[in-house]
Amino acid sequence: MTADSQEIQQTAQSQDPPRSGNGGIAVPGWLRRAASVSELWTFTILVALVAFFTIAAPGKFFTAYDLTQIAVNAAIYLVLGVGMTYVIITAGIDLSIGSVLVLAAVAAGEYNIHHGGATAGWGTVAVGALIALAVGLAWGALQGLVVATQKVPPLIVTLGGLGAALGLAELATGGQDPAGAAAAHLQNSLGFGKVLGIPWLVILAAVVTVVFGAVLGGTKFGNHTLAIGSNPAAVRRAGIPVGRHLVKVYGLMGLLAGLGAVMWLASYGTTSIAGHSTDNLKVITAVVLGGTSLFGGRGSVLGTVIGVFIPAVLTTGLIVIGVQQYWQDVAVGVVLVAAVYIDQVRRKTRERA
């Protein structure tokens, strides 16, 4: 193993907490890396919010119905958050995810409209889902290619992608949400279906989380993602194609945005062209709250899970206690600023140590 390879491995494993002493239970390395960034303070905030709203609205919050609704509402953002975790770990950002979701939903929806509409069969549903995934993957990979080869900052690339994707969706639909964009089969199964009382949307989000959490914490792809965010120069010296890896990471983000589009169509039956302008804000907030550093090299999918549920609980709780809707957006914005500030404080503390 070369010195650079050892440096990459050490960088990727630097999140591991100390092993337990003699007689302790051996914990797999991937699990330790997955759990190490789920900061206790983040979970404490989540518990505090649940306790506050439960006390403020006794019998109205933290009911079985509320828990189900929170999980369903968080499912799409959790899928998007998984992809954003990978992107931010590489010291990148993706502001275009809401528009990419809309574009993928419009592409799938237009196909469904012209092949049966609301009464379309399972074949049409499957092809529509593949179209959404392909559009998201292609758009994400294209943005990653520009970032990797043209050295344009991700902020600029994805900001341009935000406007371009939304513009294409509006051109295709005239700016109106088309009728019949989702088949009844899709809505009745993925949208409203349940297994043992658990909605399919929640199950799908959980599967995505577990799979890509394991990939980040226990595979070479995950190690390279962490290393690129920490020390890209060492990664290049070790012969690892950083540019190609970034294309894959942004492609993954786009693919999950495409999956989010399928989930949205299943849940709401429409493309909601004007309804995703703040998706990037919500997802970035969740990822940063979960402990992923905006400076790259540090993050976990498990932390993102906790971070996703903080805004979800906050939004639902404010509705339950009767706070005006516009204050919900203010609260989410304040949470984002606080999360970034805390991230900076933690980073400076680590540097001084």
Side-chain angles (χ1 to χ4, degrees):
M1 181 180 294
T2 65
D4 289 328
S5 297
Q6 289 177 337
E7 185 177 1
I8 291 171
Q9 186 176 17
Q10 291 170 357
T11 299
Q13 294 177 346
S14 61
Q15 301 182 82
D16 292 2
R19 295 178 181 270
S20 57
N22 294 335
I25 299 175
V27 180
W30 70 268
L31 182 57
R32 288 186 283 111
R33 289 195 294 274
S36 61
V37 189
S38 295
E39 307 291 350
L40 179 60
W41 67 268
T42 307
F43 185 70
T44 302
I45 291 174
L46 179 60
V47 173
L49 285 173
V50 172
F52 171 78
F53 289 121
T54 301
I55 295 173
K60 297 181 180 179
F61 186 78
F62 208 58
T63 63
Y65 174 78
D66 280 333
L67 291 177
T68 300
Q69 288 303 114
I70 289 173
V72 170
N73 293 337
I76 296 175
Y77 295 114
L78 181 55
V79 169
L80 297 177
V82 169
M84 187 67 76
T85 301
Y86 278 76
V87 171
I88 293 181
I89 283 176
T90 65
I93 199 76
D94 191 344
L95 300 179
S96 68
I97 55 173
S99 295
V100 175
L101 187 154
V102 169
L103 180 61
V106 166
E110 288 294 329
Y111 178 83
N112 190 80
I113 290 170
H114 292 89
H115 292 81
T119 60
W122 281 111
T124 298
V125 171
V127 173
L130 290 175
I131 289 174
L133 294 175
V135 168
L137 174 62
W139 195 274
L142 177 61
Q143 292 186 147
L145 187 64
V146 175
V147 170
T149 61
Q150 304 303 313
K151 308 303 179 185
V152 182
L155 177 70
I156 303 301
V157 173
T158 59
L159 183 60
L162 181 155
L166 183 60
L168 288 175
E170 290 173 334
L171 284 171
T173 62
Q176 303 295 321
D177 294 311
H185 284 315
L186 179 64
Q187 288 196 275
N188 293 333
S189 55
L190 180 60
F192 308 129
K194 296 181 179 181
V195 177
L196 300 177
I198 304 175
W200 270 114
L201 286 171
V202 176
I203 294 173
L204 179 57
V207 170
V208 170
T209 301
V210 171
V211 169
F212 288 103
V215 169
L216 181 61
T219 68
K220 184 182 294 185
F221 184 85
N223 287 339
H224 290 175
T225 301
L226 291 163
I228 287 172
S230 295
N231 196 338
V235 175
R236 288 190 179 92
R237 289 197 301 269
I240 297 172
V242 173
R244 188 182 304 171
H245 191 89
L246 288 176
V247 172
K248 292 178 182 178
V249 168
Y250 281 89
L252 172 62
M253 178 71 262
L255 178 69
L256 293 180
L259 179 58
V262 176
M263 296 170 71
W264 186 273
L265 287 172
S267 183
Y268 298 99
T270 179
T271 53
S272 298
I273 293 176
H276 297 275
S277 60
T278 61
D279 282 1
N280 50 11
L281 171 65
K282 294 175 181 177
V283 173
I284 293 170
T285 299
V287 173
V288 175
L289 276 175
T292 298
S293 174
L294 285 171
F295 300 97
R298 185 172 184 267
S300 77
V301 172
L302 181 58
T304 296
V305 173
I306 300 174
V308 165
F309 278 97
I310 289 178
V313 169
L314 183 63
T315 300
T316 302
L318 290 174
I319 292 174
V320 169
I321 64 177
V323 174
Q324 189 178 18
Q325 178 182 356
Y326 303 113
W327 282 107
Q328 298 168 27
D329 295 331
V330 173
V332 171
V334 170
V335 168
L336 174 59
V337 174
V340 174
Y341 173 74
I342 293 172
D343 179 45
Q344 289 179 321
V345 170
R346 289 187 300 175
R347 181 170 178 264
K348 292 178 180 178
T349 300
R350 291 196 304 272
E351 289 176 348
R352 286 196 298 266

